[in-house]
Amino acid sequence: MKRVVSISIGSSKRDHYVETEIMGEKFIIERIGTDGSIEKAIDLIKSIDGKVDAIGMGGIDLYLWAGRRSYIIKGALPLKEAAKITPIVDGSGLKNTLEKNVIYYLQQNEYINFKEKRVLITSAMDRFGMADSLECCGSNLTVGDLIFALGINIPIHSLKNLHRIAAIVAPVACRLPFHILYPTGDKQNKSISNKFTTYFDRAEVVAGDFHYIKRFMPINMNDKIIITNTVTKEDVGLLKDRGAKLLITTTPEFEGRSFGTNVIEGVIVAMLRAQGKEGTLNEYEELLSKLDLKPRIEYLNKSQGVI
Protein backbone atom coordinates (compact mmCIF):
# COMPACT_ATOMS: atom_id res chain seq x y z
CA MET A 1 0.00 0.00 0.00
CA LYS A 2 1.36 3.39 -1.00
CA ARG A 3 1.17 6.34 1.39
CA VAL A 4 0.98 10.01 0.44
CA VAL A 5 1.00 12.62 3.21
CA SER A 6 0.35 16.33 2.85
CA ILE A 7 1.95 18.41 5.59
CA SER A 8 0.05 21.69 5.58
CA ILE A 9 0.70 24.92 7.43
CA GLY A 10 -3.07 25.40 7.31
CA SER A 11 -5.62 24.67 10.01
CA SER A 12 -5.60 21.23 11.64
CA LYS A 13 -9.43 21.41 11.64
CA ARG A 14 -9.26 20.52 7.93
CA ASP A 15 -7.29 17.29 8.43
CA HIS A 16 -8.48 14.24 6.50
CA TYR A 17 -7.54 10.58 6.04
CA VAL A 18 -8.73 8.15 3.37
CA GLU A 19 -7.83 4.71 2.09
CA THR A 20 -8.64 4.30 -1.59
CA GLU A 21 -7.70 2.43 -4.75
CA ILE A 22 -6.36 4.16 -7.86
CA MET A 23 -5.68 2.16 -11.03
CA GLY A 24 -5.51 -1.03 -8.96
CA GLU A 25 -3.05 0.48 -6.46
CA LYS A 26 -4.07 0.86 -2.82
CA PHE A 27 -3.32 4.26 -1.30
CA ILE A 28 -3.40 5.87 2.10
CA ILE A 29 -3.87 9.61 1.58
CA GLU A 30 -3.54 11.90 4.58
CA ARG A 31 -3.53 15.63 5.28
CA ILE A 32 -1.98 16.96 8.52
CA GLY A 33 -2.26 20.65 9.39
CA THR A 34 0.15 22.53 11.67
CA ASP A 35 -2.02 25.60 12.39
CA GLY A 36 0.40 28.03 10.79
CA SER A 37 3.62 26.63 12.25
CA ILE A 38 6.34 26.21 9.64
CA GLU A 39 8.67 24.81 12.32
CA LYS A 40 6.21 22.03 13.16
CA ALA A 41 5.72 21.33 9.45
CA ILE A 42 9.47 20.95 8.99
CA ASP A 43 9.68 18.55 11.95
CA LEU A 44 6.80 16.46 10.57
CA ILE A 45 8.37 16.30 7.11
CA LYS A 46 11.66 15.14 8.63
CA SER A 47 9.84 12.50 10.70
CA ILE A 48 8.17 10.86 7.66
CA ASP A 49 10.99 11.40 5.15
CA GLY A 50 11.94 8.02 3.70
CA LYS A 51 8.88 6.36 5.27
CA VAL A 52 6.21 7.42 2.77
CA ASP A 53 5.99 7.40 -1.01
CA ALA A 54 5.44 11.13 -1.53
CA ILE A 55 5.02 14.27 0.57
CA GLY A 56 2.82 17.23 -0.30
CA MET A 57 3.53 20.79 0.80
CA GLY A 58 0.10 22.05 1.79
CA GLY A 59 -1.02 25.59 2.50
CA ILE A 60 2.06 27.04 0.84
CA ASP A 61 3.48 27.23 -2.69
CA LEU A 62 7.11 26.80 -3.61
CA TYR A 63 6.63 28.62 -6.91
CA LEU A 64 4.46 31.38 -8.31
CA TRP A 65 4.27 31.73 -12.08
CA ALA A 66 3.75 34.53 -14.56
CA GLY A 67 4.00 33.36 -18.15
CA ARG A 68 7.08 31.19 -18.53
CA ARG A 69 8.80 32.78 -15.55
CA SER A 70 8.69 31.29 -12.06
CA TYR A 71 9.33 32.99 -8.73
CA ILE A 72 10.44 31.04 -5.67
CA ILE A 73 8.72 31.83 -2.37
CA LYS A 74 11.56 32.11 0.11
CA GLY A 75 9.48 30.96 3.08
CA ALA A 76 8.72 27.61 1.40
CA LEU A 77 12.34 26.58 0.84
CA PRO A 78 12.93 25.18 4.38
CA LEU A 79 9.99 22.80 3.91
CA LYS A 80 11.28 21.65 0.52
CA GLU A 81 14.77 21.12 1.92
CA ALA A 82 13.49 19.16 4.95
CA ALA A 83 12.84 16.09 2.77
CA LYS A 84 16.09 14.39 1.79
CA ILE A 85 14.77 11.01 0.58
CA THR A 86 11.05 11.18 -0.26
CA PRO A 87 9.97 13.40 -3.18
CA ILE A 88 8.10 16.51 -1.99
CA VAL A 89 5.75 18.49 -4.24
CA ASP A 90 3.67 21.68 -3.95
CA GLY A 91 1.04 20.99 -6.63
CA SER A 92 2.66 23.09 -9.36
CA GLY A 93 2.85 20.10 -11.68
CA LEU A 94 -0.93 19.73 -11.68
CA LYS A 95 -1.70 23.43 -11.82
CA ASN A 96 -0.12 23.51 -15.26
CA THR A 97 -1.68 20.25 -16.47
CA LEU A 98 -4.83 19.00 -14.76
CA GLU A 99 -6.24 22.42 -13.80
CA LYS A 100 -5.51 23.88 -17.20
CA ASN A 101 -7.33 21.00 -18.88
CA VAL A 102 -10.35 21.19 -16.55
CA ILE A 103 -11.36 24.57 -18.02
CA TYR A 104 -11.23 23.19 -21.56
CA TYR A 105 -13.18 20.12 -20.40
CA LEU A 106 -15.95 22.30 -18.96
CA GLN A 107 -16.11 24.38 -22.15
CA GLN A 108 -16.01 21.47 -24.59
CA ASN A 109 -18.60 19.45 -22.69
CA GLU A 110 -20.92 22.47 -22.48
CA TYR A 111 -21.02 22.74 -18.70
CA ILE A 112 -19.96 26.39 -18.93
CA ASN A 113 -19.55 28.74 -21.87
CA PHE A 114 -16.62 30.89 -20.75
CA LYS A 115 -16.68 33.26 -23.73
CA GLU A 116 -17.15 36.80 -22.38
CA LYS A 117 -18.09 35.36 -18.99
CA ARG A 118 -17.05 37.69 -16.15
CA VAL A 119 -14.47 35.68 -14.21
CA LEU A 120 -12.71 36.68 -11.00
CA ILE A 121 -9.58 34.61 -10.42
CA THR A 122 -8.24 35.31 -6.95
CA SER A 123 -4.59 34.65 -7.85
CA ALA A 124 -3.47 33.85 -11.39
CA MET A 125 0.15 33.40 -10.32
CA ASP A 126 -1.02 30.58 -8.05
CA ARG A 127 -3.37 28.97 -10.62
CA PHE A 128 -1.41 29.85 -13.74
CA GLY A 129 -2.69 26.99 -15.89
CA MET A 130 -6.29 27.75 -15.01
CA ALA A 131 -5.84 31.47 -15.70
CA ASP A 132 -4.25 30.82 -19.08
CA SER A 133 -7.04 28.51 -20.25
CA LEU A 134 -9.72 30.91 -18.99
CA GLU A 135 -8.18 33.70 -21.06
CA CYS A 136 -7.86 31.39 -24.08
CA CYS A 137 -11.57 30.54 -23.78
CA GLY A 138 -12.43 34.22 -24.08
CA SER A 139 -13.29 35.05 -20.47
CA ASN A 140 -13.53 38.63 -19.29
CA LEU A 141 -10.88 38.26 -16.59
CA THR A 142 -10.36 40.14 -13.36
CA VAL A 143 -7.08 38.99 -11.83
CA GLY A 144 -6.86 39.52 -8.08
CA ASP A 145 -3.20 38.88 -7.22
CA LEU A 146 -2.54 42.41 -5.99
CA ILE A 147 -5.93 42.63 -4.28
CA PHE A 148 -6.09 39.42 -2.28
CA ALA A 149 -2.42 38.63 -1.68
CA LEU A 150 -1.10 42.15 -1.03
CA GLY A 151 -4.22 44.14 -0.16
CA ILE A 152 -3.59 46.57 -3.02
CA ASN A 153 -6.96 47.48 -4.52
CA ILE A 154 -5.87 47.36 -8.16
CA PRO A 155 -7.51 44.81 -10.47
CA ILE A 156 -5.64 43.40 -13.47
CA HIS A 157 -7.57 42.49 -16.60
CA SER A 158 -5.08 40.55 -18.73
CA LEU A 159 -2.31 38.03 -18.13
CA LYS A 160 0.02 40.16 -20.25
CA ASN A 161 -0.34 43.00 -17.75
CA LEU A 162 0.05 40.55 -14.87
CA HIS A 163 3.38 39.37 -16.29
CA ARG A 164 4.64 42.97 -16.49
CA ILE A 165 3.57 43.77 -12.94
CA ALA A 166 4.92 40.47 -11.60
CA ALA A 167 8.38 41.21 -12.98
CA ILE A 168 8.50 44.23 -10.65
CA VAL A 169 6.48 43.11 -7.64
CA ALA A 170 7.03 39.33 -7.36
CA PRO A 171 10.78 39.35 -6.49
CA VAL A 172 9.96 41.52 -3.47
CA ALA A 173 6.67 39.85 -2.50
CA CYS A 174 8.20 36.37 -2.58
CA ARG A 175 10.63 37.40 0.17
CA LEU A 176 7.83 38.43 2.54
CA PRO A 177 6.71 36.08 5.34
CA PHE A 178 4.19 33.73 3.72
CA HIS A 179 1.42 34.50 6.21
CA ILE A 180 1.28 38.03 4.77
CA LEU A 181 0.54 36.67 1.30
CA TYR A 182 -1.86 33.87 2.17
CA PRO A 183 -4.20 32.86 5.03
CA THR A 184 -2.51 30.24 7.20
CA GLY A 185 -3.45 28.48 10.43
CA ASP A 186 -6.60 29.80 12.11
CA LYS A 187 -6.96 32.55 9.47
CA GLN A 188 -8.27 29.81 7.17
CA ASN A 189 -11.35 29.61 9.39
CA LYS A 190 -12.07 33.35 9.42
CA SER A 191 -13.80 35.44 6.78
CA ILE A 192 -13.51 39.10 5.80
CA SER A 193 -16.76 39.50 3.91
CA ASN A 194 -16.94 43.32 3.83
CA LYS A 195 -13.72 43.96 1.89
CA PHE A 196 -13.30 43.83 -1.89
CA THR A 197 -16.89 42.58 -2.29
CA THR A 198 -17.33 44.61 -5.49
CA TYR A 199 -15.16 42.17 -7.41
CA PHE A 200 -17.26 39.20 -6.27
CA ASP A 201 -20.52 41.02 -7.01
CA ARG A 202 -19.49 41.70 -10.62
CA ALA A 203 -18.27 38.17 -11.29
CA GLU A 204 -20.33 35.34 -12.75
CA VAL A 205 -17.51 32.86 -12.07
CA VAL A 206 -15.16 32.94 -9.08
CA ALA A 207 -12.06 30.79 -9.58
CA GLY A 208 -8.89 30.02 -7.67
CA ASP A 209 -7.67 28.89 -4.29
CA PHE A 210 -10.55 28.27 -1.90
CA HIS A 211 -8.94 29.93 1.11
CA TYR A 212 -8.82 33.25 -0.74
CA ILE A 213 -12.42 32.76 -1.88
CA LYS A 214 -13.69 31.82 1.58
CA ARG A 215 -11.82 34.62 3.32
CA PHE A 216 -13.13 37.43 1.10
CA MET A 217 -16.43 36.28 -0.39
CA PRO A 218 -19.55 38.28 0.58
CA ILE A 219 -22.61 36.90 2.34
CA ASN A 220 -24.53 36.99 -0.96
CA MET A 221 -23.01 34.61 -3.53
CA ASN A 222 -26.29 34.10 -5.40
CA ASP A 223 -25.93 32.39 -8.80
CA LYS A 224 -22.12 32.31 -8.67
CA ILE A 225 -20.11 29.48 -10.23
CA ILE A 226 -17.15 28.46 -8.05
CA ILE A 227 -14.12 26.71 -9.59
CA THR A 228 -11.65 25.71 -6.90
CA ASN A 229 -10.39 22.74 -4.86
CA THR A 230 -9.53 21.73 -1.27
CA VAL A 231 -13.10 22.00 0.00
CA THR A 232 -14.60 20.16 2.97
CA LYS A 233 -18.25 19.21 3.56
CA GLU A 234 -18.55 22.34 5.70
CA ASP A 235 -17.20 24.50 2.87
CA VAL A 236 -19.75 23.05 0.46
CA GLY A 237 -22.52 23.78 2.94
CA LEU A 238 -21.28 27.36 3.33
CA LEU A 239 -21.33 27.95 -0.44
CA LYS A 240 -24.82 26.47 -0.72
CA ASP A 241 -26.12 28.61 2.15
CA ARG A 242 -24.76 31.74 0.48
CA GLY A 243 -26.56 30.94 -2.75
CA ALA A 244 -23.75 29.72 -5.01
CA LYS A 245 -25.17 27.95 -8.06
CA LEU A 246 -22.46 25.49 -9.06
CA LEU A 247 -19.30 24.10 -7.43
CA ILE A 248 -16.52 22.61 -9.52
CA THR A 249 -13.36 21.24 -7.93
CA THR A 250 -10.41 20.53 -10.18
CA THR A 251 -9.44 17.51 -8.09
CA PRO A 252 -11.84 14.61 -7.52
CA GLU A 253 -13.76 13.98 -4.32
CA PHE A 254 -12.56 11.42 -1.76
CA GLU A 255 -15.14 10.68 0.97
CA GLY A 256 -16.63 14.18 0.92
CA ARG A 257 -13.33 16.01 0.59
CA SER A 258 -11.52 17.42 -2.44
CA PHE A 259 -7.81 17.31 -1.64
CA GLY A 260 -5.34 19.97 -2.75
CA THR A 261 -3.28 19.73 -5.91
CA ASN A 262 -0.19 18.94 -3.81
CA VAL A 263 -1.87 15.73 -2.61
CA ILE A 264 -2.91 14.56 -6.07
CA GLU A 265 0.52 15.44 -7.44
CA GLY A 266 1.96 13.31 -4.63
CA VAL A 267 -0.16 10.40 -5.87
CA ILE A 268 1.08 10.97 -9.43
CA VAL A 269 4.72 11.08 -8.30
CA ALA A 270 4.33 7.93 -6.19
CA MET A 271 2.90 6.04 -9.17
CA LEU A 272 5.58 7.29 -11.55
CA ARG A 273 8.36 6.40 -9.11
CA ALA A 274 6.99 2.86 -8.85
CA GLN A 275 7.38 2.67 -12.65
CA GLY A 276 10.96 3.95 -12.45
CA LYS A 277 10.07 7.29 -14.05
CA GLU A 278 11.40 10.72 -13.10
CA GLY A 279 8.19 12.72 -13.35
CA THR A 280 8.64 14.85 -16.47
CA LEU A 281 5.79 17.00 -17.80
CA ASN A 282 5.13 14.47 -20.57
CA GLU A 283 4.99 11.65 -18.02
CA TYR A 284 2.53 13.65 -15.92
CA GLU A 285 0.31 14.21 -18.96
CA GLU A 286 0.47 10.54 -19.97
CA LEU A 287 -0.46 9.28 -16.52
CA LEU A 288 -3.21 11.87 -16.09
CA SER A 289 -4.67 10.70 -19.39
CA LYS A 290 -4.71 7.10 -18.13
CA LEU A 291 -6.21 8.10 -14.78
CA ASP A 292 -8.90 10.07 -16.63
CA LEU A 293 -9.57 12.24 -13.58
CA LYS A 294 -12.78 14.22 -13.90
CA PRO A 295 -13.60 17.40 -12.03
CA ARG A 296 -16.20 17.23 -9.30
CA ILE A 297 -19.30 19.05 -10.57
CA GLU A 298 -21.96 19.73 -7.95
CA TYR A 299 -25.07 21.82 -8.49
CA LEU A 300 -25.73 23.55 -5.18
CA ASN A 301 -28.79 25.63 -6.07
CA LYS A 302 -31.16 25.77 -9.04
CA SER A 303 -31.46 23.27 -11.87
CA GLN A 304 -28.76 21.66 -13.96
CA GLY A 305 -27.96 22.70 -17.50
CA VAL A 306 -25.55 24.56 -19.74
CA ILE A 307 -24.50 27.84 -18.14
Side-chain angles (χ1 to χ4, degrees):
M1 182 176 285
K2 290 182 171 53
R3 186 180 175 204
V4 175
V5 180
S6 171
I7 304 299
S8 173
I9 63 171
S11 171
S12 59
K13 293 179 181 179
R14 301 175 68 84
D15 286 357
H16 199 54
Y17 174 100
V18 298
E19 294 185 20
T20 189
E21 188 171 301
I22 302 172
M23 285 184 65
E25 293 267 10
K26 292 183 178 180
F27 275 86
I28 292 174
I29 302 174
E30 188 173 5
R31 187 266 192 196
I32 303 172
T34 68
D35 298 310
S37 173
I38 288 181
E39 293 76 16
K40 184 177 179 181
I42 290 169
D43 289 342
L44 283 170
I45 290 170
K46 288 179 178 179
S47 72
I48 62 174
D49 188 26
K51 301 175 184 177
V52 299
D53 295 280
I55 300 171
M57 289 171 53
I60 189 167
D61 291 321
L62 181 60
Y63 301 104
L64 294 177
W65 290 80
R68 296 177 178 271
R69 187 171 180 180
S70 64
Y71 301 87
I72 296 177
I73 295 177
K74 184 180 178 182
L77 284 175
L79 283 80
K80 175 73 172 177
E81 294 167 353
K84 306 297 183 184
I85 303 170
T86 303
I88 183 167
V89 294
D90 72 339
S92 294
L94 288 197
K95 290 175 184 178
N96 201 27
T97 51
L98 177 66
E99 290 203 332
K100 186 183 184 77
N101 293 335
V102 161
I103 301 301
Y104 294 126
Y105 172 85
L106 295 170
Q107 178 94 350
Q108 291 164 4
N109 288 276
E110 298 186 342
Y111 286 103
I112 304 171
N113 180 9
F114 287 105
K115 187 171 178 59
E116 298 184 2
K117 194 77 90 190
R118 297 187 304 276
V119 178
L120 169 64
I121 184 161
T122 52
S123 173
M125 291 186 70
D126 172 49
R127 327 305 290 204
F128 45 92
M130 182 187 292
D132 182 63
S133 54
L134 283 167
E135 190 170 71
C136 288
C137 286
S139 297
N140 182 352
L141 278 183
T142 296
V143 177
D145 290 67
L146 292 176
I147 300 166
F148 301 109
L150 297 175
I152 300 172
N153 194 2
I154 299 176
I156 303 167
H157 294 292
S158 75
L159 297 186
K160 186 176 181 179
N161 284 338
L162 174 67
H163 302 162
R164 291 170 176 167
I165 293 169
I168 300 168
V169 176
V172 178
C174 286
R175 299 183 68 84
L176 294 172
F178 190 70
H179 68 84
I180 294 176
L181 302 174
Y182 184 80
T184 62
D186 193 48
K187 287 183 179 179
Q188 294 185 346
N189 301 314
K190 296 179 180 178
S191 297
I192 305 174
S193 59
N194 60 348
K195 193 174 185 181
F196 308 133
T197 57
T198 301
Y199 300 108
F200 285 88
D201 292 341
R202 291 173 180 167
E204 298 169 275
V205 178
V206 179
D209 182 275
F210 187 72
H211 291 302
Y212 278 137
I213 295 173
K214 181 180 178 181
R215 187 162 175 77
F216 293 100
M217 70 179 178
I219 299 299
N220 184 350
M221 290 287 284
N222 286 349
D223 295 330
K224 306 297 182 190
I225 301 166
I226 311 298
I227 305 176
T228 187
N229 68 350
T230 325
V231 293
T232 64
K233 289 181 180 178
E234 291 75 18
D235 297 329
V236 177
L238 177 65
L239 289 170
K240 185 172 184 177
D241 290 344
R242 295 199 182 185
K245 175 164 47 180
L246 176 63
L247 169 66
I248 296 162
T249 64
T250 57
T251 53
E253 178 184 3
F254 293 98
E255 296 182 9
R257 169 68 184 268
S258 295
F259 281 109
T261 51
N262 72 92
V263 177
I264 307 303
E265 185 174 5
V267 170
I268 297 292
V269 167
M271 296 179 78
L272 289 174
R273 279 188 88 202
Q275 299 170 16
K277 296 180 179 179
E278 295 181 1
T280 64
L281 183 60
N282 286 339
E283 288 168 347
Y284 268 52
E285 292 277 15
E286 183 180 348
L287 184 52
L288 284 169
S289 178
K290 290 179 180 177
L291 288 171
D292 194 28
L293 297 177
K294 295 288 191 298
R296 167 191 186 176
I297 300 172
E298 187 170 346
Y299 293 87
L300 304 178
N301 291 288
K302 296 192 176 181
S303 60
Q304 301 180 16
V306 180
I307 298 172

